[in-house]
Coordinates of all heavy atoms in Angstrom, one line a residue:
M1 N 0.8 -1.2 0.0 CA 0.0 0.0 0.0 C 0.9 1.3 0.0 O 1.9 1.3 0.7 CB -0.9 0.0 1.2 CG -2.1 0.9 1.1 SD -3.2 0.7 2.5 CE -2.5 1.9 3.6
A2 N 0.5 2.2 -0.8 CA 1.3 3.5 -0.8 C 1.3 4.2 0.5 O 0.2 4.3 1.1 CB 0.9 4.3 -2.0
E3 N 2.4 4.8 0.8 CA 2.5 5.6 2.1 C 3.0 6.9 1.6 O 4.0 7.0 0.9 CB 3.5 4.9 3.0 CG 3.7 5.6 4.3 CD 4.8 5.0 5.2 OE1 5.3 3.9 4.8 OE2 5.1 5.6 6.2
T4 N 2.5 8.0 2.2 CA 3.0 9.3 1.9 C 4.0 9.7 2.9 O 3.9 9.5 4.1 CB 1.8 10.4 2.0 OG1 0.8 10.0 1.1 CG2 2.3 11.8 1.6
V5 N 5.2 10.1 2.4 CA 6.3 10.5 3.2 C 6.6 12.0 2.9 O 6.8 12.4 1.8 CB 7.5 9.7 2.9 CG1 8.7 10.1 3.8 CG2 7.2 8.2 3.1
I6 N 6.7 12.8 4.0 CA 7.1 14.2 3.9 C 8.6 14.3 4.0 O 9.2 13.7 5.0 CB 6.4 15.1 5.0 CG1 4.9 15.0 4.8 CG2 6.9 16.5 4.9 CD1 4.1 15.7 5.9
L7 N 9.3 14.8 3.1 CA 10.7 14.8 3.0 C 11.4 16.0 3.5 O 12.4 15.9 4.3 CB 11.2 14.5 1.6 CG 10.7 13.1 1.0 CD1 11.1 13.0 -0.4 CD2 11.3 12.0 1.8
C8 N 11.0 17.2 3.1 CA 11.7 18.4 3.5 C 10.9 19.6 2.9 O 9.9 19.4 2.2 CB 13.1 18.4 2.9 SG 13.2 18.5 1.1
A9 N 11.3 20.8 3.2 CA 10.7 22.0 2.6 C 11.1 22.0 1.1 O 12.3 21.7 0.8 CB 11.2 23.2 3.3
A10 N 10.2 22.4 0.3 CA 10.5 22.5 -1.1 C 11.6 23.5 -1.4 O 12.4 23.2 -2.4 CB 9.2 22.9 -1.9
D11 N 11.7 24.6 -0.7 CA 12.8 25.5 -1.0 C 14.2 25.1 -0.6 O 15.2 25.7 -0.8 CB 12.5 26.9 -0.4 CG 12.3 26.9 1.1 OD1 12.7 25.9 1.7 OD2 11.9 28.0 1.6
E12 N 14.3 23.9 0.1 CA 15.6 23.3 0.3 C 16.1 22.6 -0.9 O 17.3 22.2 -0.9 CB 15.5 22.3 1.5 CG 15.2 22.9 2.9 CD 15.1 21.8 3.9 OE1 16.0 21.0 4.1 OE2 14.0 21.7 4.6
V13 N 15.3 22.4 -1.9 CA 15.7 21.7 -3.1 C 16.0 22.7 -4.2 O 15.1 23.4 -4.6 CB 14.6 20.7 -3.6 CG1 15.2 19.9 -4.8 CG2 14.2 19.8 -2.5
V14 N 17.3 22.9 -4.5 CA 17.6 24.0 -5.3 C 18.3 23.5 -6.6 O 19.0 22.5 -6.6 CB 18.5 25.1 -4.6 CG1 17.8 25.7 -3.5 CG2 19.8 24.5 -4.1
E15 N 18.1 24.2 -7.6 CA 18.7 23.9 -8.9 C 20.2 23.8 -8.8 O 20.9 24.6 -8.1 CB 18.4 25.0 -9.9 CG 18.4 24.6 -11.4 CD 17.0 24.4 -12.0 OE1 16.0 24.9 -11.4 OE2 16.9 23.8 -13.0
G16 N 20.8 22.7 -9.4 CA 22.2 22.5 -9.4 C 22.8 21.8 -8.2 O 24.0 21.5 -8.1
E17 N 21.9 21.5 -7.2 CA 22.3 20.7 -6.0 C 21.5 19.4 -5.9 O 20.4 19.3 -6.5 CB 22.2 21.5 -4.8 CG 23.1 22.7 -4.7 CD 23.0 23.6 -3.5 OE1 22.4 23.1 -2.5 OE2 23.5 24.7 -3.5
I18 N 21.9 18.5 -5.1 CA 21.1 17.3 -4.9 C 20.9 17.1 -3.4 O 21.8 17.2 -2.6 CB 21.9 16.0 -5.4 CG1 22.3 16.2 -6.9 CG2 21.0 14.8 -5.3 CD1 23.3 15.1 -7.4
K19 N 19.6 17.0 -3.0 CA 19.3 16.9 -1.6 C 18.9 15.5 -1.2 O 18.1 14.9 -1.9 CB 18.0 17.8 -1.4 CG 17.3 17.6 -0.1 CD 17.8 18.6 0.9 CE 17.1 18.4 2.3 NZ 17.9 18.8 3.4
Q20 N 19.6 15.0 -0.2 CA 19.3 13.6 0.2 C 18.3 13.7 1.3 O 18.3 14.6 2.2 CB 20.6 13.0 0.8 CG 20.5 11.6 1.1 CD 21.8 11.0 1.8 OE1 22.2 11.5 2.8 NE2 22.4 10.1 1.1
A21 N 17.3 12.7 1.3 CA 16.3 12.7 2.4 C 16.0 11.2 2.7 O 16.0 10.3 1.8 CB 15.0 13.4 1.9
P22 N 15.8 10.9 4.0 CA 15.7 9.5 4.4 C 14.2 9.0 4.2 O 13.3 9.8 4.3 CB 16.0 9.5 5.9 CG 15.7 10.9 6.3 CD 15.9 11.8 5.1
L23 N 14.1 7.7 3.9 CA 12.8 7.0 3.9 C 12.6 6.2 5.1 O 13.6 5.8 5.8 CB 12.8 6.1 2.6 CG 12.7 6.8 1.3 CD1 12.7 5.8 0.2 CD2 11.5 7.8 1.2
P24 N 11.4 5.8 5.5 CA 11.1 5.0 6.7 C 11.9 3.7 6.6 O 12.2 3.1 7.7 CB 9.6 4.8 6.6 CG 9.1 6.0 5.8 CD 10.1 6.3 4.8
D25 N 12.1 3.1 5.4 CA 12.8 1.8 5.4 C 14.3 1.9 5.6 O 15.0 0.9 5.5 CB 12.4 1.1 4.1 CG 13.1 1.7 2.9 OD1 13.8 2.7 3.0 OD2 12.9 1.2 1.7
G26 N 14.8 3.1 5.8 CA 16.3 3.2 6.0 C 17.1 3.6 4.8 O 18.2 3.9 4.9
S27 N 16.4 3.5 3.6 CA 17.1 3.9 2.4 C 16.9 5.4 2.2 O 16.3 6.1 3.1 CB 16.6 3.2 1.2 OG 15.3 3.5 0.9
N28 N 17.5 6.0 1.2 CA 17.4 7.4 1.0 C 16.9 7.7 -0.4 O 17.0 6.9 -1.3 CB 18.8 8.1 1.1 CG 19.3 8.1 2.5 OD1 18.6 8.5 3.4 ND2 20.5 7.6 2.7
V29 N 16.3 8.9 -0.6 CA 16.0 9.4 -1.9 C 16.9 10.6 -2.2 O 17.4 11.3 -1.3 CB 14.5 9.8 -2.1 CG1 13.6 8.6 -2.0 CG2 14.1 10.8 -1.1
A30 N 17.1 10.9 -3.4 CA 17.8 12.1 -3.9 C 16.7 13.0 -4.6 O 15.9 12.5 -5.4 CB 18.9 11.7 -4.9
L31 N 16.8 14.2 -4.2 CA 15.8 15.2 -4.7 C 16.6 16.2 -5.6 O 17.7 16.7 -5.2 CB 15.1 16.0 -3.6 CG 14.3 15.1 -2.7 CD1 13.8 15.8 -1.5 CD2 13.0 14.6 -3.5
Y32 N 16.0 16.6 -6.7 CA 16.6 17.5 -7.7 C 15.6 18.5 -8.1 O 14.4 18.2 -8.2 CB 17.0 16.7 -8.9 CG 17.6 15.4 -8.7 CD1 16.8 14.3 -8.5 CD2 19.0 15.2 -8.7 CE1 17.4 13.0 -8.3 CE2 19.6 13.9 -8.6 CZ 18.7 12.8 -8.4 OH 19.3 11.6 -8.2
R33 N 16.0 19.7 -8.5 CA 15.1 20.7 -9.1 C 15.5 20.9 -10.5 O 16.7 21.3 -10.8 CB 15.1 22.0 -8.3 CG 14.0 22.9 -8.8 CD 14.0 24.2 -8.0 NE 13.5 24.1 -6.6 CZ 12.2 24.2 -6.3 NH1 11.3 24.4 -7.3 NH2 11.8 24.1 -5.1
V34 N 14.6 20.6 -11.4 CA 15.0 20.8 -12.8 C 13.9 21.7 -13.5 O 12.7 21.4 -13.5 CB 14.9 19.4 -13.6 CG1 15.2 19.6 -15.0 CG2 15.9 18.4 -12.9
E35 N 14.4 22.8 -14.0 CA 13.5 23.8 -14.6 C 12.3 24.1 -13.7 O 11.1 24.2 -14.1 CB 13.0 23.3 -16.0 CG 14.2 23.3 -16.9 CD 13.8 22.8 -18.3 OE1 12.6 22.5 -18.6 OE2 14.7 22.7 -19.2
G36 N 12.6 24.2 -12.4 CA 11.5 24.6 -11.4 C 10.8 23.5 -10.8 O 10.2 23.7 -9.7
A37 N 10.8 22.3 -11.4 CA 10.0 21.2 -10.8 C 11.0 20.3 -10.0 O 12.2 20.3 -10.3 CB 9.4 20.4 -12.0
I38 N 10.4 19.6 -9.0 CA 11.2 18.8 -8.2 C 11.0 17.3 -8.6 O 9.8 16.9 -8.8 CB 10.8 19.0 -6.7 CG1 11.3 20.4 -6.3 CG2 11.5 17.9 -5.8 CD1 10.9 20.8 -4.8
Y39 N 12.1 16.6 -8.7 CA 12.1 15.1 -9.0 C 12.7 14.4 -7.9 O 13.7 14.9 -7.3 CB 12.8 14.9 -10.3 CG 12.1 15.6 -11.5 CD1 12.4 16.9 -11.8 CD2 11.1 14.9 -12.2 CE1 11.7 17.5 -12.9 CE2 10.4 15.5 -13.2 CZ 10.7 16.8 -13.6 OH 10.0 17.5 -14.6
A40 N 12.3 13.1 -7.7 CA 12.9 12.3 -6.7 C 13.2 10.9 -7.3 O 12.5 10.3 -8.0 CB 11.8 12.0 -5.5
T41 N 14.5 10.5 -7.0 CA 14.9 9.1 -7.4 C 15.5 8.4 -6.1 O 15.8 9.1 -5.1 CB 16.0 9.2 -8.5 OG1 17.2 9.6 -7.9 CG2 15.6 10.0 -9.6
A42 N 15.7 7.1 -6.3 CA 16.5 6.4 -5.3 C 17.9 7.1 -5.2 O 18.4 7.6 -6.2 CB 16.7 5.0 -5.7
D43 N 18.5 7.2 -4.0 CA 19.8 7.9 -3.9 C 20.9 7.0 -4.3 O 22.0 7.5 -4.7 CB 19.9 8.3 -2.4 CG 21.2 9.1 -2.2 OD1 21.5 10.0 -3.0 OD2 21.9 8.8 -1.2
M44 N 20.7 5.7 -4.3 CA 21.9 4.8 -4.5 C 22.0 4.5 -6.1 O 21.0 4.1 -6.7 CB 21.7 3.5 -3.8 CG 22.9 2.6 -3.7 SD 24.2 3.3 -2.8 CE 23.6 3.2 -1.1
C45 N 23.1 4.8 -6.6 CA 23.4 4.4 -8.0 C 23.1 3.0 -8.2 O 23.4 2.1 -7.4 CB 24.9 4.7 -8.3 SG 25.3 4.4 -10.0
T46 N 22.5 2.6 -9.4 CA 22.2 1.2 -9.7 C 23.5 0.4 -10.1 O 23.4 -0.8 -10.3 CB 21.1 1.1 -10.8 OG1 21.6 1.7 -12.0 CG2 19.8 1.7 -10.3
H47 N 24.6 1.1 -10.3 CA 25.8 0.4 -10.7 C 26.6 0.0 -9.6 O 27.4 -1.0 -9.7 CB 26.6 1.3 -11.7 CG 27.9 0.7 -12.2 ND1 29.1 1.1 -11.8 CD2 28.1 -0.3 -13.0 CE1 30.0 0.4 -12.4 NE2 29.4 -0.5 -13.1
G48 N 26.6 0.7 -8.5 CA 27.5 0.4 -7.3 C 27.0 1.1 -6.1 O 25.9 1.6 -6.0
E49 N 27.8 1.1 -5.1 CA 27.4 1.6 -3.8 C 27.7 3.1 -3.6 O 28.4 3.6 -2.7 CB 28.2 0.9 -2.7 CG 27.8 -0.6 -2.6 CD 26.4 -0.8 -2.0 OE1 26.2 -0.3 -0.9 OE2 25.6 -1.5 -2.7
A50 N 27.2 3.9 -4.6 CA 27.5 5.4 -4.5 C 26.2 6.1 -4.2 O 25.2 5.8 -4.9 CB 28.1 5.8 -5.9
S51 N 26.2 7.0 -3.3 CA 25.1 7.9 -3.1 C 25.2 9.0 -4.1 O 26.2 9.7 -4.2 CB 25.2 8.5 -1.7 OG 24.5 9.7 -1.6
L52 N 24.1 9.2 -4.8 CA 24.1 10.2 -5.9 C 24.0 11.6 -5.2 O 24.6 12.5 -5.7 CB 22.9 10.0 -6.8 CG 22.9 8.8 -7.6 CD1 21.6 8.6 -8.4 CD2 24.1 8.8 -8.6
A53 N 23.4 11.7 -4.0 CA 23.4 13.0 -3.4 C 24.8 13.4 -2.9 O 25.1 14.6 -2.9 CB 22.4 13.0 -2.2
E54 N 25.6 12.4 -2.5 CA 26.9 12.7 -2.0 C 28.0 12.8 -3.1 O 28.9 13.5 -3.0 CB 27.3 11.7 -0.9 CG 26.4 11.9 0.4 CD 26.6 10.8 1.4 OE1 27.5 9.9 1.2 OE2 25.8 10.7 2.3
E55 N 27.8 11.9 -4.1 CA 28.9 11.7 -5.1 C 28.5 12.2 -6.4 O 29.3 12.2 -7.3 CB 29.2 10.2 -5.2 CG 29.4 9.5 -3.9 CD 30.7 9.9 -3.2 OE1 31.5 10.6 -3.7 OE2 30.8 9.5 -2.0
G56 N 27.2 12.5 -6.6 CA 26.7 12.9 -7.9 C 26.8 14.4 -8.3 O 27.0 15.2 -7.4
I57 N 26.8 14.6 -9.6 CA 26.8 16.0 -10.1 C 25.6 16.2 -11.0 O 25.4 15.4 -11.9 CB 28.1 16.3 -10.8 CG1 29.3 16.2 -9.9 CG2 28.0 17.7 -11.5 CD1 30.6 16.2 -10.7
I58 N 24.7 17.1 -10.7 CA 23.5 17.3 -11.5 C 23.8 18.5 -12.5 O 24.3 19.5 -12.1 CB 22.3 17.6 -10.6 CG1 21.0 17.8 -11.4 CG2 22.5 18.8 -9.7 CD1 20.4 16.5 -11.9
S59 N 23.4 18.2 -13.7 CA 23.5 19.2 -14.7 C 22.3 19.1 -15.6 O 22.1 18.1 -16.3 CB 24.8 18.9 -15.6 OG 24.9 19.8 -16.6
G60 N 21.4 20.2 -15.5 CA 20.1 20.1 -16.2 C 19.4 18.9 -15.5 O 19.2 18.9 -14.3
K61 N 18.9 18.0 -16.4 CA 18.2 16.8 -15.8 C 19.0 15.6 -15.8 O 18.5 14.5 -15.5 CB 16.9 16.6 -16.7 CG 17.2 16.1 -18.1 CD 15.9 15.9 -18.9 CE 16.2 15.3 -20.2 NZ 14.9 14.9 -20.9
I62 N 20.3 15.7 -16.0 CA 21.2 14.5 -16.0 C 22.1 14.6 -14.7 O 22.7 15.6 -14.4 CB 22.1 14.6 -17.2 CG1 21.3 14.5 -18.5 CG2 23.1 13.4 -17.2 CD1 20.4 13.3 -18.7
V63 N 22.0 13.4 -14.0 CA 22.9 13.3 -12.8 C 24.1 12.4 -13.3 O 23.8 11.3 -13.9 CB 22.2 12.8 -11.6 CG1 21.6 11.4 -11.7 CG2 23.1 12.9 -10.4
E64 N 25.3 12.8 -12.9 CA 26.4 11.9 -13.2 C 26.9 11.4 -11.9 O 27.1 12.1 -10.9 CB 27.5 12.7 -13.8 CG 28.8 11.9 -14.1 CD 29.9 12.7 -14.8 OE1 30.5 13.5 -14.0 OE2 30.1 12.5 -16.0
C65 N 27.1 10.1 -11.8 CA 27.7 9.4 -10.7 C 29.2 9.4 -10.8 O 29.7 8.9 -11.8 CB 27.2 8.0 -10.6 SG 28.0 7.0 -9.3
T66 N 29.9 10.1 -9.9 CA 31.3 10.3 -10.1 C 32.2 9.1 -9.8 O 33.4 9.1 -10.1 CB 31.8 11.5 -9.3 OG1 31.6 11.2 -7.9 CG2 31.2 12.8 -9.7
F67 N 31.5 8.0 -9.4 CA 32.3 6.8 -9.1 C 32.9 6.2 -10.5 O 34.0 5.9 -10.6 CB 31.5 5.7 -8.4 CG 31.6 5.8 -6.9 CD1 31.8 7.0 -6.3 CD2 31.4 4.6 -6.2 CE1 31.9 7.0 -4.9 CE2 31.5 4.7 -4.8 CZ 31.8 5.9 -4.1
H68 N 32.0 6.1 -11.5 CA 32.4 5.5 -12.8 C 31.9 6.4 -13.9 O 31.8 5.9 -15.0 CB 32.0 4.1 -12.9 CG 32.4 3.2 -11.8 ND1 31.5 2.8 -10.8 CD2 33.6 2.8 -11.3 CE1 32.1 2.1 -9.9 NE2 33.4 2.1 -10.2
F69 N 31.3 7.6 -13.6 CA 30.9 8.5 -14.6 C 29.7 8.1 -15.4 O 29.4 8.5 -16.5 CB 32.0 8.9 -15.5 CG 33.3 9.3 -14.7 CD1 34.4 8.5 -14.7 CD2 33.2 10.5 -14.0 CE1 35.5 8.9 -13.9 CE2 34.3 10.9 -13.2 CZ 35.5 10.0 -13.2
G70 N 28.9 7.1 -14.8 CA 27.6 6.8 -15.4 C 26.6 7.9 -15.2 O 26.8 8.7 -14.3
T71 N 25.6 8.0 -16.0 CA 24.6 9.0 -15.9 C 23.1 8.5 -16.0 O 22.9 7.5 -16.6 CB 24.8 10.1 -17.0 OG1 24.7 9.5 -18.3 CG2 26.1 10.8 -16.9
F72 N 22.2 9.3 -15.4 CA 20.8 9.0 -15.5 C 20.1 10.3 -15.7 O 20.5 11.4 -15.3 CB 20.3 8.5 -14.1 CG 21.0 7.3 -13.6 CD1 22.1 7.4 -12.8 CD2 20.5 6.0 -13.9 CE1 22.7 6.3 -12.3 CE2 21.1 4.9 -13.4 CZ 22.2 5.0 -12.6
D73 N 18.9 10.1 -16.4 CA 17.9 11.2 -16.5 C 17.1 11.2 -15.2 O 16.3 10.2 -15.0 CB 17.0 11.0 -17.7 CG 16.0 12.1 -17.9 OD1 15.6 12.7 -17.0 OD2 15.6 12.2 -19.1
V74 N 17.2 12.2 -14.4 CA 16.5 12.2 -13.1 C 15.0 12.4 -13.2 O 14.2 12.1 -12.3 CB 17.0 13.2 -12.1 CG1 18.5 13.0 -11.9 CG2 16.7 14.7 -12.5
T75 N 14.5 12.8 -14.4 CA 13.0 13.0 -14.6 C 12.4 11.7 -14.9 O 11.2 11.6 -14.7 CB 12.7 14.0 -15.7 OG1 13.1 13.5 -16.9 CG2 13.5 15.3 -15.4
T76 N 13.1 10.7 -15.4 CA 12.6 9.4 -15.7 C 13.2 8.2 -15.0 O 12.7 7.1 -14.9 CB 12.7 9.1 -17.2 OG1 14.1 9.0 -17.5 CG2 12.0 10.2 -18.0
G77 N 14.4 8.5 -14.5 CA 15.2 7.4 -13.9 C 16.0 6.6 -14.9 O 16.9 5.8 -14.5
E78 N 15.8 6.8 -16.1 CA 16.5 6.0 -17.2 C 18.0 6.3 -17.2 O 18.4 7.4 -17.1 CB 15.9 6.3 -18.6 CG 14.5 5.8 -18.7 CD 14.3 4.3 -18.5 OE1 15.2 3.5 -19.1 OE2 13.4 3.9 -17.9
P79 N 18.8 5.2 -17.4 CA 20.2 5.4 -17.6 C 20.5 6.1 -18.9 O 19.8 5.7 -19.9 CB 20.8 4.0 -17.5 CG 19.6 3.1 -17.9 CD 18.4 3.8 -17.5
T80 N 21.4 7.0 -18.9 CA 21.8 7.7 -20.1 C 23.2 7.6 -20.5 O 23.6 8.1 -21.5 CB 21.4 9.2 -20.0 OG1 22.0 9.7 -18.9 CG2 19.9 9.4 -20.0
G81 N 24.0 7.0 -19.6 CA 25.4 6.8 -20.0 C 26.0 5.6 -19.3 O 25.7 5.4 -18.1
M82 N 26.9 4.9 -19.9 CA 27.5 3.7 -19.4 C 28.5 4.2 -18.2 O 29.0 5.3 -18.3 CB 28.3 3.0 -20.5 CG 27.5 2.4 -21.5 SD 26.4 1.1 -20.9 CE 27.6 -0.3 -20.9
P83 N 28.7 3.3 -17.2 CA 28.3 1.9 -17.2 C 26.9 1.7 -16.6 O 26.5 0.5 -16.3 CB 29.3 1.3 -16.3 CG 29.6 2.4 -15.3 CD 29.6 3.6 -16.1
C84 N 26.1 2.7 -16.4 CA 24.8 2.5 -15.8 C 23.8 1.9 -16.8 O 23.6 2.5 -17.9 CB 24.2 3.8 -15.2 SG 25.3 4.5 -13.9
E85 N 23.2 0.8 -16.5 CA 22.2 0.2 -17.4 C 20.9 -0.1 -16.8 O 19.9 -0.3 -17.5 CB 22.8 -1.2 -17.9 CG 24.1 -1.0 -18.7 CD 24.6 -2.4 -19.2 OE1 25.1 -3.1 -18.4 OE2 24.4 -2.7 -20.4
V86 N 20.8 0.0 -15.5 CA 19.5 -0.3 -14.8 C 18.9 1.1 -14.3 O 19.7 1.9 -13.8 CB 19.7 -1.2 -13.6 CG1 18.5 -1.4 -12.8 CG2 20.4 -2.5 -14.0
A87 N 17.7 1.3 -14.6 CA 17.0 2.6 -14.2 C 17.0 2.8 -12.7 O 16.9 1.8 -11.9 CB 15.6 2.6 -14.8
L88 N 17.1 4.0 -12.3 CA 16.8 4.4 -10.9 C 15.4 4.3 -10.6 O 14.5 4.7 -11.5 CB 17.3 5.9 -10.7 CG 18.7 6.2 -10.7 CD1 18.9 7.7 -10.7 CD2 19.5 5.6 -9.5
K89 N 15.0 3.9 -9.4 CA 13.6 4.0 -9.0 C 13.2 5.5 -8.9 O 14.0 6.3 -8.4 CB 13.4 3.3 -7.7 CG 11.9 3.3 -7.2 CD 11.8 2.4 -6.0 CE 10.4 2.5 -5.3 NZ 9.3 2.2 -6.3
T90 N 12.1 5.9 -9.4 CA 11.6 7.2 -9.3 C 10.3 7.3 -8.4 O 9.6 6.3 -8.3 CB 11.3 7.9 -10.6 OG1 10.3 7.1 -11.3 CG2 12.6 8.0 -11.5
Y91 N 10.1 8.4 -7.9 CA 8.9 8.6 -7.0 C 8.1 9.8 -7.5 O 8.7 10.9 -7.7 CB 9.3 8.8 -5.6 CG 10.1 7.7 -5.0 CD1 11.5 7.7 -5.1 CD2 9.5 6.7 -4.3 CE1 12.3 6.7 -4.6 CE2 10.3 5.6 -3.8 CZ 11.7 5.7 -3.9 OH 12.5 4.7 -3.4
P92 N 6.8 9.7 -7.6 CA 6.0 10.9 -7.9 C 6.1 11.9 -6.8 O 5.9 11.5 -5.6 CB 4.6 10.4 -8.1 CG 4.6 9.0 -7.9 CD 6.0 8.6 -7.4
V93 N 6.3 13.2 -7.1 CA 6.5 14.2 -6.1 C 5.3 15.1 -6.1 O 4.8 15.5 -7.1 CB 7.7 15.1 -6.4 CG1 7.8 16.3 -5.5 CG2 9.0 14.3 -6.3
T94 N 4.8 15.5 -4.9 CA 3.8 16.5 -4.8 C 4.3 17.5 -3.7 O 5.0 17.1 -2.8 CB 2.4 16.0 -4.4 OG1 2.5 15.1 -3.2 CG2 1.7 15.2 -5.5
I95 N 3.9 18.8 -3.9 CA 4.2 19.8 -2.9 C 3.0 20.2 -2.2 O 2.0 20.6 -2.8 CB 4.8 21.0 -3.6 CG1 5.9 20.7 -4.6 CG2 5.3 22.1 -2.6 CD1 7.1 20.0 -4.0
V96 N 2.9 20.0 -0.9 CA 1.8 20.3 -0.1 C 2.2 21.3 1.0 O 3.1 20.9 1.8 CB 1.1 19.1 0.5 CG1 -0.1 19.4 1.4 CG2 0.7 18.1 -0.6
D97 N 1.6 22.5 1.0 CA 2.0 23.5 2.1 C 3.5 23.7 2.1 O 4.1 23.9 3.1 CB 1.5 23.0 3.5 CG 0.0 23.0 3.6 OD1 -0.7 23.7 2.8 OD2 -0.5 22.3 4.4
G98 N 4.1 23.7 0.9 CA 5.5 24.0 0.8 C 6.4 22.9 1.2 O 7.7 23.0 1.2
Q99 N 5.9 21.7 1.4 CA 6.7 20.5 1.8 C 6.7 19.5 0.6 O 5.7 19.3 0.0 CB 6.1 19.8 3.0 CG 5.9 20.7 4.2 CD 7.3 21.0 4.9 OE1 8.1 20.1 5.1 NE2 7.5 22.3 5.1
V100 N 7.8 18.9 0.4 CA 8.0 17.9 -0.6 C 7.4 16.5 -0.1 O 7.9 16.1 1.0 CB 9.4 17.7 -1.0 CG1 9.6 16.6 -2.1 CG2 10.0 19.0 -1.5
Q101 N 6.5 16.0 -0.8 CA 5.9 14.7 -0.4 C 6.1 13.7 -1.6 O 6.0 14.1 -2.7 CB 4.4 14.8 -0.1 CG 4.1 15.6 1.1 CD 2.6 15.6 1.4 OE1 1.8 14.9 0.7 NE2 2.2 16.2 2.4
I102 N 6.4 12.4 -1.2 CA 6.4 11.4 -2.2 C 5.5 10.2 -1.7 O 5.3 10.1 -0.5 CB 7.8 10.8 -2.5 CG1 8.5 10.3 -1.3 CG2 8.6 11.9 -3.2 CD1 9.8 9.6 -1.6
E103 N 5.1 9.4 -2.7 CA 4.4 8.1 -2.3 C 5.5 7.0 -2.4 O 6.2 6.9 -3.4 CB 3.3 7.8 -3.3 CG 2.3 8.9 -3.4 CD 1.4 9.0 -2.2 OE1 1.1 8.0 -1.6 OE2 1.0 10.1 -1.8
V104 N 5.5 6.2 -1.4 CA 6.5 5.1 -1.4 C 5.7 3.7 -1.3 O 4.6 3.7 -0.8 CB 7.6 5.2 -0.3 CG1 8.4 6.4 -0.5 CG2 7.0 5.2 1.1
Ligands
FES201 FE1 27.7 4.8 -10.1 FE2 29.5 3.0 -10.9 S1 28.7 3.3 -8.9 S2 28.6 4.6 -12.1

């Protein structure tokens, strides 16, 4: 069953940075702002044990994992550059009273 999780204030998610936020299951999500909208993906790179919030670089809608320079489109989760081949999990984001919420 879907559960709504409140992650942080929307204004904490700024263009050009990656915001990490915890989930109830102990994993993390990474939040990005792209052209004004907020997107959420799993924080862990699907290629290895790298936190995208800590190790990644966001440029437009593409996050690069600096461990092996793989890339993903954060708006879809799809891998866009080798060696990443498995999509990141993505979460629908809603903003309620200025807070970022996702369904998990
Ligand atoms: Fe991210 Fe290898 S761990 S590209």
Side-chain angles (χ1 to χ4, degrees):
M1 202 177 85
E3 179 188 355
T4 302
V5 180
I6 299 172
L7 297 175
C8 64
D11 61 12
E12 291 178 56
V13 185
V14 296
E15 204 102 20
E17 294 179 16
I18 308 171
K19 168 92 178 153
Q20 188 184 63
L23 292 180
D25 70 0
S27 67
N28 290 307
V29 294
L31 297 168
Y32 321 81
R33 188 179 287 275
V34 180
E35 294 180 0
I38 294 176
Y39 295 89
T41 72
D43 182 46
M44 193 65 72
C45 181
T46 60
H47 179 250
E49 294 288 306
S51 158
L52 293 172
E54 291 170 10
E55 314 290 348
I57 297 170
I58 182 80
S59 176
K61 64 179 185 175
I62 302 298
V63 64
E64 179 181 74
C65 174
T66 57
F67 270 29
H68 310 104
F69 311 107
T71 58
F72 302 91
D73 179 334
V74 303
T75 68
T76 63
E78 289 301 316
T80 53
M82 294 293 278
C84 301
E85 296 182 286
V86 177
L88 290 170
K89 182 171 172 54
T90 59
Y91 302 88
V93 172
T94 49
I95 311 297
V96 179
D97 294 335
Q99 302 288 312
V100 179
Q101 294 187 358
I102 60 171
E103 302 290 326
V104 297

